[in-house]
Amino acid sequence: MTRLILASIIGALLAPVIAQAAEVNTRCAVAHFIRAGGGELRSSGLNFNNGDREHAATIERLTITDHLGQVLHDSGPAIGVAHPLNTDYNPPLDITTVPPGATFYLVTTQIWGAGSVQPGPPARGFSMSAEVLVSKEGKRELFNVSANQRTRLRLIDPATGFVRQGNEISRSPTSCFEVKK
């Protein structure tokens, strides 16, 4: 009887700890740069796949650094800066909370447009890293961050100078791994 009471007390004390949202930090290779004499744009997409049908996930922080580790972009509720909106949707989609069963994405063109990473030399965008800090209740292994790089034509209107993206030329997955604390 004493063991049953003790187990009940320990269970009651541990329940709030178990129910807390787990944080996972994932790091992915990304790129964003102009190539082929200005005629192509290499950019990256980050995919946030919530396979959990019961619990939402929160993208707490998205930090992109250049090849030297200097921060080029930093956003999310963890630092009080709103994430860029995914403007592929109408109205634009806030990627902060990924609902149960949903898959959201954000592309570097939604951060830097069809130009180079600013400020600094174009080389800053060649070999970058994106770190995504996610908090999630439930089974954290049901949430995944993945990335891909794509090359699209970069079209410039000669009359207005307006730059837009053209057809996709190539796409390839890039590596991501969990950053252990």
Side-chain angles (χ1 to χ4, degrees):
M1 185 69 168
T2 305
R3 288 183 184 172
L4 181 60
I5 293 171
L6 184 59
S8 297
I9 292 171
I10 291 172
L13 292 173
L14 287 178
V17 174
I18 293 169
Q20 285 182 7
E23 285 192 340
V24 180
N25 194 19
T26 302
R27 186 174 171 114
C28 300
V30 295
H32 186 93
F33 60 92
I34 297 168
R35 66 185 207 171
E40 296 177 359
L41 176 66
R42 184 80 168 165
S43 61
S44 293
L46 292 165
N47 305 296
F48 314 110
N49 188 344
N50 188 3
D52 188 334
R53 298 259 177 213
E54 296 179 22
H55 301 91
T58 302
I59 311 298
E60 297 288 351
R61 189 170 188 177
L62 168 61
T63 306
I64 300 177
T65 56
D66 67 11
H67 62 287
L68 298 174
Q70 297 174 345
V71 175
L72 301 172
H73 172 84
D74 204 7
S75 62
I79 60 165
V81 176
H83 290 303
L85 297 175
N86 181 329
T87 55
D88 289 347
Y89 294 88
N90 187 12
L93 180 66
D94 181 354
I95 57 103
T96 303
T97 302
V98 183
T103 302
F104 287 178
Y105 68 91
L106 188 70
V107 184
T108 57
T109 54
Q110 294 159 342
I111 299 171
W112 293 296
S116 294
V117 173
Q118 298 297 329
R124 292 186 88 179
F126 288 177
S127 181
M128 302 186 301
S129 293
E131 284 200 27
V132 182
L133 178 64
V134 175
S135 65
K136 186 185 158 328
E137 291 184 15
K139 295 181 178 178
R140 70 145 211 88
E141 63 272 8
L142 293 177
F143 187 86
N144 177 268
V145 176
S146 61
N148 62 70
Q149 292 185 17
R150 66 185 185 178
T151 301
R152 297 186 80 161
L153 291 175
R154 188 171 173 267
L155 307 172
I156 303 171
D157 184 316
T160 64
F162 179 74
V163 179
R164 66 181 178 83
Q165 295 180 67
N167 291 339
E168 186 171 302
I169 299 167
S170 68
R171 181 183 299 250
S172 58
T174 63
S175 62
C176 294
F177 59 93
E178 188 175 324
V179 177
K180 305 281 187 184
K181 293 186 180 191

